[in-house]
Amino acid sequence: MAVTFVLLPGAGSDSWYWHRVVPILTGNGHSAITVDLPYSDESAGQYEFADVVVKALHDVEGPVVLVAQSMSAFTAAIVCERTDVDVDLLVLVAPMLPAPGESAGEWWANTGQSAAQRALAVSEGRDPAATNDLRELFFHDVPEELIEEAFQAEEVAMSDTPFETVWRAEEWPHVKTRVIAGSRDRLFPVDFMKRIVRERLGIAPDVIDAGHLIALARPRELAAALEGYVEGL
């Protein structure tokens, strides 16, 4: 079955993040739409981000699979609450999995992410204080040529507003949801992700052998997982 995949990037990223996955999906007969979110706009929070996604969805026909990387899980959850769109499946990739009534800024302490990240670094013999080393934290398993391309691109200035937006919900949206975690994710360690997904959704994530940037490091594996979910619609 052919579907439209609507792909949201993580915080401070853009459509480029998905550039290795899109050709695989479209080559297999699906449609793919990448949505850039206005991360640098101080007036835009998660609900304004959701408006951007909904606008991109309005002309889509047929089944829709909404795929959200990292912090855009907050945006995706809001989109799935909207009555003017129809999302058939929500897939969260290495997500900041939100809870109703929570903001992205509160998420870190609420989930215990910092302790989990530190414990993993110590267990692997890495410096737990080296949190600003983006290459070590995010790009450790990404091909070198892509790392250079990523660091040569203009940096997206990240506004504080989306981190301050509280998700005004009482429960998880009534949309079929799947979660993908990276087995070597240094930001959201896999055991941490398994716990959060179990506590908040009551399911287990599927795991891909990758770090946090799964679409860059393991595009074929990620595309295969996405297409596998479609078979169950």
Side-chain angles (χ1 to χ4, degrees):
M1 177 176 62
V3 304
T4 297
F5 290 97
V6 179
L7 308 166
L8 311 184
S13 186
D14 57 22
S15 295
W16 179 83
Y17 173 73
W18 295 106
H19 80 279
R20 302 188 77 193
V21 174
V22 168
I24 301 172
L25 297 176
T26 57
N28 290 335
H30 302 289
S31 298
I33 298 172
T34 56
V35 182
D36 287 326
L37 302 175
Y39 282 127
S40 60
D41 186 348
E42 293 288 348
S43 67
Q46 297 290 349
Y47 283 86
E48 287 73 28
F49 292 176
D51 289 339
V52 173
V53 179
V54 170
K55 183 177 180 180
L57 283 168
H58 271 158
D59 295 328
V60 175
E61 297 181 356
V64 170
V65 178
L66 181 59
V67 186
Q69 163 74 20
S70 199
M71 191 179 80
S72 63
F74 274 83
T75 305
I78 294 170
V79 170
C80 288
E81 293 181 305
R82 297 278 293 261
T83 59
D84 52 343
V85 297
D86 187 10
V87 174
D88 296 275
L89 174 66
L90 172 61
V91 183
L92 305 175
V93 183
M96 290 178 64
L97 182 62
E102 185 175 61
S103 70
E106 295 168 331
W107 181 89
W108 305 87
N110 289 352
T111 60
Q113 179 276 338
S114 178
Q117 179 182 334
R118 180 180 179 84
L120 178 65
V122 171
S123 72
E124 294 181 344
R126 294 181 287 107
D127 181 2
T131 56
N132 292 325
D133 188 336
L134 299 184
R135 288 176 179 258
E136 179 178 288
L137 187 60
F138 293 107
F139 289 91
H140 56 94
D141 65 333
V142 173
E144 187 63 33
E145 64 272 16
L146 294 181
I147 297 176
E148 295 307 315
E149 187 174 350
F151 279 84
Q152 288 172 9
E154 183 177 353
E155 184 176 357
V156 176
M158 192 67 203
S159 164
D160 291 332
T161 307
F163 290 96
E164 298 167 351
T165 306
V166 174
W167 180 28
R168 303 186 299 270
E170 296 182 357
E171 61 181 357
W172 190 260
H174 297 290
V175 174
K176 187 176 182 180
T177 304
R178 293 289 181 266
V179 178
I180 296 174
S183 64
R184 293 184 284 134
D185 192 334
R186 294 177 175 177
L187 183 66
F188 302 157
V190 65
D191 289 341
F192 162 81
M193 285 301 309
K194 289 178 178 179
R195 173 177 63 82
I196 296 303
V197 174
R198 182 181 66 251
E199 291 174 353
R200 297 191 167 193
L201 293 181
I203 62 175
D206 293 308
V207 179
I208 291 177
D209 182 24
H212 191 67
L213 304 180
I214 300 174
L216 293 178
R218 296 290 186 272
R220 293 193 178 280
E221 291 86 341
L222 179 54
L226 295 177
E227 292 183 307
Y229 297 145
V230 170
E231 296 175 3
L233 291 180

